[in-house]
Amino acid sequence: MTTTTPSRVRRTALPWPALLALGTAVFITSLTETLPAGVLPEMSADLAVSAGAAGQAVTVYAAGTALTAVPLAAATASVPRKRLLLGAMTAFLVANTLTAAAPGYAVLLAARFLAGVAAGLAWAILAGHARSIAPAGLEGRAIAVTMTGIPLALSLGVPAGTLIGEHAGWQAAFAAVSVATLAVIGWIVRSVPAARRPEPGEEAKATVLRTLRVPGVAAVMTVVVTFVLGHTIVYAYIASYLRQAGLGRSTGTILLMFGAACLAGIWFVGRHVDRGLRVLAWSGAALFTLATAAFALTTAPWAVGAAAVVWGLGWGGVPTLLQTAAGRAGLRHGRAAADTAQAVLVTLWNVAMMLGGIMGGLLLEGLGATSVAVAAAVLGATSLLVVALARRHAFPARPTAPPVPGGVTTPVPRRP
């Protein structure tokens, strides 16, 4: 009779406590990024700066992430992932506390830049860590659970922070995020297992250029840029679009519909991403293109509301889909390459967000709200085309197993 040690038993269930802790960390990072939008008037008045100047708190955060994600990922490739994640969350704790206590505008911007650096480090770790602790064949679902923190931050976290800011001041809103971060750090310590450390010499193979040459990685990054750019162009200025369309009073309702559809989209993607990455990526891009084209063609209230729902269904699972696609493609060159691909994704994601804010503003001021929707639809159609063409390596119809010695990948057998 043979026996199997517990460490060798194949896991078949998701490690829910660990994934929920990682998802809450994602929630903290997303909320830290977007909270200024909800308390902008209070920040502007208290710091005696214009609303535009106060809004640079978001830009500085994105710049910190975009500038440091790849260098930090390379510099910390040999550091244990759990220790690195705890360091990133501690940096969030410090940054949000400094933001809450900022005596002036300069300190506020410095704190926000630090938060952006912490986000670049955390985002380069979170998806890969979720993938590494998941059972074989459920990696995409594990990433989906982790990425649920993004729509929850937008649909629940920012409104809650806005309410706190209105009644207790914007500093109290950031202080509340610090308290939540401290609780998440304890949760990670208790529930999140350590991930496998890179093999000796593996880090050297994970340069950005080599990673981008791995088949499929460049195509995934192209979709990241076009999809996130299109989404940001319309999302950043949706209130202005609705106001020009005569639907300004419905902004809250439409955003609520969008948020609820996002949650439904990420739930569905999480259920099916491990077996249907290609179909889901194609469907997400198609739904986004359809929704933004509808924004461009009509301002009828019922059509705009329906388009917002379609937009949310298409967008909700996009972070999970692109993180999964990048990780799978990078794994063909090793786990360190997969981590580098995630870091590149984070950088390009934030660059696309910054460019989307700039381009959307220029289009809105120069050509009107309809041009914003048209540009988003064109970018969505471009994403759709790339997904359709990159069918072999970036968005394959069937998943592949992690590489075996020799760099060969094998299809994952279908479940009966």
Side-chain angles (χ1 to χ4, degrees), residues 25-40:
V26 169
F27 176 87
I28 293 294
T29 63
S30 299
L31 180 57
T32 299
E33 179 178 14
T34 54
L35 182 56
V39 295
L40 201 62

Side-chain angles (χ1 to χ4, degrees), residues 105-264:
Y105 184 62
V107 176
L108 172 73
L109 293 184
R112 291 292 296 173
F113 185 83
L114 174 60
V117 173
L121 188 56
W123 278 110
I125 300 168
L126 284 162
H129 202 87
R131 184 182 64 244
S132 70
I133 64 176
L138 294 179
E139 294 90 349
R141 189 173 298 183
I143 293 175
V145 173
T146 303
M147 293 300 113
T148 304
I150 297 176
L152 288 178
L154 293 175
S155 60
L156 299 178
V158 173
T162 302
L163 189 63
I164 293 173
E166 290 174 350
H167 290 85
W170 65 271
Q171 297 95 334
F174 282 97
V177 178
S178 290
V179 173
T181 305
L182 188 60
V184 171
I185 290 173
W187 193 357
I188 292 172
V189 169
R190 182 177 179 84
S191 301
V192 177
R196 185 190 71 83
R197 297 183 65 172
E199 297 295 335
E202 192 178 19
E203 303 92 336
K205 302 176 184 178
T207 64
V208 172
L209 289 179
R210 289 190 178 186
T211 299
L212 289 175
R213 292 191 188 112
V214 175
V217 172
V220 174
M221 299 309 162
T222 301
V223 176
V224 169
V225 172
T226 55
F227 212 146
V228 176
L229 184 60
H231 167 77
T232 305
I233 283 176
V234 67
Y235 182 80
Y237 297 98
I238 187 65
S240 298
Y241 165 83
L242 293 173
R243 190 179 303 115
Q244 290 191 20
L247 300 172
R249 293 184 178 180
S250 302
T251 299
T253 301
I254 289 174
L255 288 178
L256 181 62
M257 295 165 65
F258 168 77
C262 278
L263 290 175

Side-chain angles (χ1 to χ4, degrees), residues 289-325:
T289 304
L290 178 64
T292 49
F295 285 148
L297 293 173
T298 180
T299 57
W302 68 268
V304 172
V309 172
V310 172
W311 175 21
L313 291 173
W315 173 256
V318 167
T320 297
L321 291 167
L322 295 181
Q323 293 269 14
T324 300

